[in-house]
Amino acid sequence: MSSYQGVIVSDPWLQSQFTQVELRTLKSKFINVRTQHGRVTLGDLPPVFSKLKAFTEMFNEDEIKTVLGESSSDMGEEIDFEGFLRAYLNLQTHAIEKSGGTKSSFLKATTTTFHHAINESEKASYVAHINNYLAEDKFLKDFLPIDPATDALFDLAKNGVLLCKLINVAVPGTIDERAINTKKVLNPWERNENHTLCLNSAKAIGCTVVNIGTQDLAEGRPHLILGLISQIIKIQVLADLNLKKTPQLVELVDDSQDVEELLSLAPEKVLLKWMNFHLKKVGYEKQVTNFSTDLKDGEAYAYLLNALAPEHSTPSTLDTSDPTERANMVLQQAEKLECKRFLTPKDIVEGSPNLNLAFVAQIFHNRNGLSTESKNMSHAEMMSDDVETSREERCFRLWINSLGISTYVNNLFEDVRNGWVMLEVLDKLFPGTVNWKQANKPPIKMPFKKVENCNQVINIGKDLNFSLVNVAGNDVVAGNKKLIVAFLWQLMRFSMLQLLKNLRSYSHGKEITDADILNWANNKVKKSGRTTQMESFKDKSLSNGVFFLELLTAVEPRVVDWNLVIKGETDEDKKSNATYIISVARKIGCSIFLLPEDVIEVNQKMILTLTASIMYFCLQQQGEGPDDSDLASEVSRLSVDGSVSDAAPSPQAED
């Protein structure tokens, strides 16, 4: 693998106008046009720019042509990549003027042209969290504790090790640490591998990373690093806010219907519901609806701690009229519950949402005050899925969230029932397939409106030739898990095959089949001089992981350390190999959401996604020039506004 530099533009000013995510995305668009036409002219740009979300609601193709024509008398003149970028900025300027002069309404993805203020309180809190949880780490202990008053956090994050380790703190076992490059001095491609592993693993635990690229991490951009750390810590502190981890949460609801609603709530919403449950019991009359303004005066905290720990409560906490003094007393009371301070009195008074959320979650973790016996406990037990269904729910939920659609999915089987999420996914993967005039946006109270959405979903699936015999929108609205999983699997598989099909250097525009993927993998391993082969994606011999380690070696010879590989004869050995496979695949750029158990048990669907992802990475590396090698780290392509675009281009794009 060549030394990684990111997408470099010769003009420093032009380079400064874009993040690496934006540059990679625009470079991908530029190359697609050049591949189709042999060269790129200004006249080729209107249909390309009109599909970018940054402009799609502002201009049609004719308007874009008019804007670009103002800067050049010859629309047939060939332009290079820098000319492409300048045309984009020119159109962006017109878009800003048209919208009233605010650039932020266009680009969700942050750019270097703006100053990003760092919240020093959050930074100090996250540094304390890192110092606490990673103090004994063999590699990091030489660099800890970090001084929050300096930029040491961002400097340390530049090699990728810290962020990978923090992900494992949040969700233990996500990254096989044998795959992390932990030399004292890393070369550029080793750092890039760590950052690629970090971003793909962050997606795999539920972080939104569509506005962050590996080069952004390598440069130590403070606002991006702090934002990612915030998400990772949030996932850690909210890990128990669900019925599977804490079944006692059913005490918050009255009947089975309410239990279903509880299942669909985001963890932070569950935390608010828990907080209000206890506040109501002790006579607090206000409703806490957020972790900011509703907590500024400290009264809600005082009542909550009085409810959960009356032995530590004191009337003076409520008697004082000074919010700062009350906030200080609240934190002193919390310390007696062994709650680590995520925030200061100032943070409470100023209403810091991230730090307040973390603090309340810490209180919940240490003393939730819920009963172990509940009349509704049986409802929670009845709703537990079998292990395979639970793993598939996780896989599809994380995959959907990685696409960058507007709606965040917390519980797959509940959140897709109104059809809206499915429509968003279809529109993201295959732009133009959804008739939004016939779609009903949540909240949807009338059941038939949900059916209308789901019927459109099924109809689009049929247009894509999915197997949907005797399947109707009512089945999705009813929450039929088997049918939902079947539809989403076909959708994921189809989008993967489209990605491979669009690598014209390999497919020449022809349809790709499962058999093509199987044959490619076997041939790749065979050509590398190894003898292991797989008969199918359900071949039980795959459970020891050796074939995939040989495939990864064939794709990138230096990425697997065979000194760490074991034969895979015992269940423990198989799990060790499977964990290593997933981390190595993510390290080279594969965006995958399977678990080690999927490899060990040879889950046919997940084995296919793993193989296809490795194939996609390999073929993309072979088909693109050196400047575009990092595109392989984004199997779900990113659009310039921070969302994922054209992960599988629409059929029309092939014409």
Side-chain angles (χ1 to χ4, degrees):
M1 182 181 294
S2 61
S3 175
Y4 174 74
Q5 292 183 313
V7 179
I8 304 299
V9 179
S10 61
D11 183 339
W13 177 86
L14 192 58
Q15 174 98 32
S16 73
Q17 302 306 299
F18 303 91
T19 66
Q20 276 296 313
V21 166
E22 294 163 5
L23 285 171
R24 287 197 303 274
T25 303
L26 290 173
K27 191 66 177 283
S28 173
K29 302 294 182 185
F30 177 81
I31 290 171
N32 284 341
V33 176
R34 190 177 62 190
T35 301
Q36 291 177 14
H37 302 288
R39 64 188 195 127
V40 181
T41 68
L42 280 176
D44 295 324
L45 304 189
V48 177
F49 285 170
S50 67
K51 292 179 181 178
L52 292 176
K53 196 169 182 180
F55 305 127
T56 186
E57 296 178 359
M58 300 294 294
F59 304 111
N60 57 36
E61 281 191 35
D62 289 338
E63 290 172 325
I64 293 175
K65 184 176 180 180
T66 299
V67 171
L68 297 181
E70 292 173 356
S71 62
S72 175
S73 58
D74 184 7
M75 293 295 285
E77 178 185 0
E78 184 175 357
I79 60 172
D80 58 12
F81 180 53
E82 290 194 11
F84 183 90
L85 293 178
R86 293 182 191 280
Y88 175 87
L89 290 177
N90 177 26
L91 184 60
Q92 185 185 82
T93 299
H94 282 76
I96 293 170
E97 293 172 354
K98 188 174 181 180
S99 69
T102 170
K103 183 174 181 178
S104 60
S105 65
F106 287 72
L107 295 181
K108 295 177 185 176
T110 49
T111 72
T112 52
T113 54
F114 289 96
H115 173 69
H116 298 277
I118 297 300
N119 186 312
E120 292 296 334
S121 289
E122 286 193 22
K123 176 185 168 185
S125 180
Y126 300 154
V127 164
H129 183 90
I130 290 168
N131 287 340
N132 179 56
Y133 279 94
L134 292 171
E136 301 303 318
D137 183 86
K138 292 181 180 179
F139 178 83
L140 293 174
K141 65 181 181 181
D142 292 339
F143 304 94
L144 301 180
I146 299 169
D147 183 354
T150 69
D151 287 335
L153 171 64
F154 310 121
D155 291 335
L156 183 55
K158 288 181 180 179
N159 66 12
V161 178
L162 172 67
L163 295 173
C164 286
K165 298 275 189 178
L166 194 60
I167 287 171
N168 269 356
V169 168
V171 184
T174 299
I175 297 176
D176 188 322
E177 296 201 0
R178 294 174 295 177
I180 305 173
N181 298 317
T182 54
K183 294 190 306 185
K184 293 294 183 182
V185 179
L186 300 177
N187 60 40
W189 50 258
E190 287 172 328
R191 286 198 303 271
N192 182 59
E193 284 183 337
N194 281 351
H195 293 313
T196 303
L197 174 59
C198 164
L199 291 177
N200 280 321
S201 299
K203 283 196 289 186
I205 65 171
C207 294
T208 301
V209 299
V210 293
N211 66 334
I212 309 174
T214 55
Q215 187 68 7
D216 298 317
L217 298 182
E219 292 172 2
R221 294 194 177 188
H223 63 286
L224 294 177
I225 290 174
L226 208 62
L228 181 56
I229 289 173
S230 173
Q231 289 189 74
I232 294 170
I233 292 176
K234 181 179 176 182
I235 286 171
Q236 178 185 347
V237 299
L238 295 179
D240 294 336
L241 269 298
N242 60 74
L243 284 175
K244 289 185 178 179
K245 292 284 186 69
T246 312
Q248 297 92 336
L249 284 167
V250 293
E251 188 178 349
L252 305 182
V253 298
D254 295 324
D255 54 41
S256 58
Q257 187 173 354
D258 290 336
V259 172
E260 291 185 14
E261 182 183 343
L262 188 63
L263 280 169
S264 65
L265 289 179
E268 50 266 42
K269 296 293 185 183
V270 176
L271 193 60
L272 283 174
K273 195 175 185 69
W274 166 81
M275 190 174 188
N276 284 311
F277 172 79
H278 285 299
L279 290 175
K280 184 178 180 180
K281 287 201 300 185
V282 292
Y284 187 69
E285 297 179 355
K286 300 176 185 177
Q287 185 85 358
V288 177
T289 61
N290 57 66
F291 291 102
S292 181
T293 55
D294 288 357
L295 300 176
K296 281 186 173 183
D297 60 11
E299 285 190 1
Y301 277 138
Y303 275 95
L304 178 65
L305 292 173
N306 286 348
L308 296 173
E311 71 276 19
H312 300 310
S313 64
T314 170
S316 57
T317 307
L318 287 170
D319 291 342
T320 182
S321 59
D322 182 355
T324 301
E325 184 180 348
R326 181 184 295 120
N328 187 55
M329 296 172 72
V330 161
L331 293 179
Q332 291 175 359
Q333 200 171 335
E335 281 293 318
K336 296 175 182 177
L337 292 178
E338 298 184 353
C339 289
K340 185 167 68 71
R341 288 193 182 189
F342 269 99
L343 72 179
T344 65
K346 181 182 177 183
D347 298 323
I348 294 179
V349 174
E350 293 183 350
S352 173
N354 287 340
L355 298 183
N356 273 311
L357 183 146
F359 179 61
V360 177
Q362 190 73 12
I363 295 173
F364 173 88
H365 181 75
N366 284 21
R367 186 173 297 194
N368 62 42
L370 299 173
S371 172
T372 55
E373 296 182 6
S374 172
K375 62 182 179 181
N376 286 325
M377 198 72 77
S378 58
H379 294 305
E381 293 168 354
M382 284 190 297
M383 290 184 178
S384 62
D385 297 319
D386 62 79
V387 175
E388 184 174 345
T389 301
S390 180
R391 287 209 303 266
E392 289 184 335
E393 185 276 338
R394 172 193 173 278
C395 171
F396 293 128
R397 169 169 45 84
L398 293 171
W399 172 64
I400 289 173
N401 287 334
S402 76
L403 298 176
I405 64 172
S406 299
T407 305
Y408 191 87
V409 177
N410 294 291
N411 182 287
L412 180 73
F413 297 127
E414 291 299 317
D415 292 352
V416 303
R417 289 173 61 180
N418 62 20
W420 185 261
V421 168
M422 295 274 215
L423 290 173
E424 285 189 281
V425 172
L426 287 164
D427 186 62
K428 183 66 69 173
L429 297 176
F430 314 110
T433 56
V434 176
N435 185 344
W436 290 110
K437 292 181 180 179
Q438 296 180 4
N440 304 291
K441 188 174 183 178
I444 305 172
K445 295 183 179 180
M446 303 300 291
F448 77 90
K449 294 288 187 181
K450 299 178 183 179
V451 175
E452 286 179 355
N453 282 353
C454 293
N455 280 340
Q456 185 176 177
V457 168
I458 298 302
N459 289 335
I460 295 172
K462 289 178 179 177
D463 291 340
L464 296 173
N465 295 319
F466 290 1
S467 176
L468 295 167
V469 179
N470 297 324
V471 179
N474 276 322
D475 297 311
V476 180
V477 176
N480 187 314
K481 294 178 181 180
K482 183 177 180 181
L483 293 179
I484 290 171
V485 165
F487 183 90
L488 287 172
W489 162 241
Q490 291 183 82
L491 185 57
M492 176 187 275
R493 176 181 170 276
F494 188 81
S495 66
M496 285 191 306
L497 296 180
Q498 285 295 103
L499 278 172
L500 292 168
K501 176 184 175 182
N502 289 323
L503 292 173
R504 291 172 178 266
S505 59
Y506 172 78
S507 70
H508 306 292
K510 296 179 181 178
E511 298 295 333
I512 302 296
T513 66
D514 294 3
D516 292 327
I517 298 171
L518 180 73
N519 292 333
W520 173 85
N522 280 329
N523 289 335
K524 195 71 180 176
V525 172
K526 186 176 181 179
K527 287 180 181 178
S528 71
R530 298 178 183 270
T531 58
T532 308
Q533 299 280 275
M534 64 172 167
E535 294 182 1
S536 69
F537 295 114
K538 54 183 179 181
D539 185 343
K540 293 300 180 184
S541 68
L542 297 174
S543 66
N544 63 16
V546 174
F547 176 81
F548 287 109
L549 289 166
E550 292 188 347
L551 177 60
L552 287 163
T553 300
V555 167
E556 177 49 67
R558 45 160 295 279
V559 79
V560 174
D561 184 348
W562 282 93
N563 294 321
L564 303 176
V565 178
I566 43 189
K567 292 183 178 180
E569 295 176 347
T570 67
D571 289 343
E572 185 177 347
D573 290 351
K574 289 179 180 179
K575 185 167 185 178
S576 176
N577 283 350
T579 305
Y580 190 49
I581 288 166
I582 292 170
S583 290
V584 169
R586 287 175 179 152
K587 179 179 179 177
I588 65 172
C590 297
S591 182
I592 49 179
F593 303 95
L594 72 165
L595 292 170
E597 289 76 12
D598 294 315
V599 178
I600 298 167
E601 297 172 13
V602 194
N603 181 312
Q604 184 177 358
K605 297 174 187 175
M606 298 303 113
I607 293 294
L608 173 58
T609 64
L610 174 61
T611 312
S613 295
I614 297 172
M615 179 181 179
Y616 181 73
F617 164 80
C618 179
L619 295 178
Q620 199 173 45
Q621 289 289 93
Q622 294 172 358
E624 305 288 4
D627 282 348
D628 307 300
S629 61
D630 192 54
L631 288 169
S633 70
E634 299 174 72
V635 174
S636 298
R637 295 177 187 168
L638 306 173
S639 71
V640 180
D641 69 341
S643 304
V644 176
S645 74
D646 301 2
S650 60
Q652 293 89 330
E654 288 298 308
D655 296 332

